[in-house]
Amino acid sequence: MRILGIDPGSRVTGYGIVEVRRGKAVYIASGCIRTTHAAVPQRLGEIYDGVATLIGEHAPDAVAIEQVFMARNASSALKLGQARGAALAAAVNVGLPVAEYAARRVKQAVTGVGGASKQQVQHMVCRLLNLSASPAADAADALAIAICHINTQRSLMVR
């Protein structure tokens, strides 16, 4: 099972690809889709294209994405929702199943604490995936989302 985790953002969208091999999560790739346009419609197109390219290159079996949370202001929440929509559209367009997770649930799954800091998430992602260096914060969050999905699927199979 190969999972594409996505941490959406209107300027920086983190991604992380994790595969299950012999029952263990294995790092495949991670990084950030950085938009270059000032106008929101063009940024959304870049996010869509970036996610579509990742799907084409890495052939994930599913996509896991962070749910929208109430940002500091309505404008920020709206832009985040639009970025999520662009990423979701790229996944759904090729028929991939999509799972959505709240940020607190992702942090709980990776660190054991729902209110963990970004640094704690980065540290645990490195430990869980046996990485020699910390990925960028947005990429680490995306890897954590993929790990959360894997753990959730495992727990559902046990039931």
Side-chain angles (χ1 to χ4, degrees), residues 103-117 120-121 123-125 128 144 147-148 151:
R104 289 189 65 81
R105 183 167 177 195
V106 172
K107 291 175 182 181
Q108 176 76 37
V110 174
T111 69
V113 179
S117 69
Q120 289 170 312
V121 171
H123 174 75
M124 286 308 296
V125 163
L128 292 169
I147 292 167
C148 177
N151 291 343

Side-chain angles (χ1 to χ4, degrees), residues 24-124:
K24 191 169 184 178
V26 176
Y27 174 86
I28 301 298
S30 65
C32 296
I33 299 166
R34 298 183 187 281
T35 59
T36 59
H37 288 86
V40 173
Q42 283 74 25
R43 288 197 311 240
L44 297 176
E46 288 179 299
I47 293 166
Y48 179 95
D49 290 343
V51 172
T53 298
L54 288 168
I55 290 168
E57 289 175 359
H58 295 283
D61 298 304
V63 172
I65 191 166
E66 189 173 89
Q67 290 177 338
V68 173
F69 59 92
M70 191 52 179
R72 289 178 216 143
N73 62 53
S75 177
S76 295
L78 180 61
K79 288 176 185 169
L80 176 60
Q82 291 171 326
R84 279 183 84 252
L88 288 169
V92 171
N93 190 46
V94 294
L96 286 174
V98 176
E100 301 173 90
Y101 298 97
R104 289 189 65 81
R105 183 167 177 195
V106 172
K107 291 175 182 181
Q108 176 76 37
V110 174
T111 69
V113 179
S117 69
K118 284 213 176 259
Q119 292 81 14
Q120 289 170 312
V121 171
Q122 282 177 299
H123 174 75
M124 286 308 296

Side-chain angles (χ1 to χ4, degrees), residues 8-30:
S10 65
R11 297 203 181 270
V12 179
T13 292
Y15 68 88
I17 301 163
V18 177
E19 186 172 284
V20 179
R21 291 187 194 152
R22 296 183 192 141
K24 191 169 184 178
V26 176
Y27 174 86
I28 301 298
S30 65

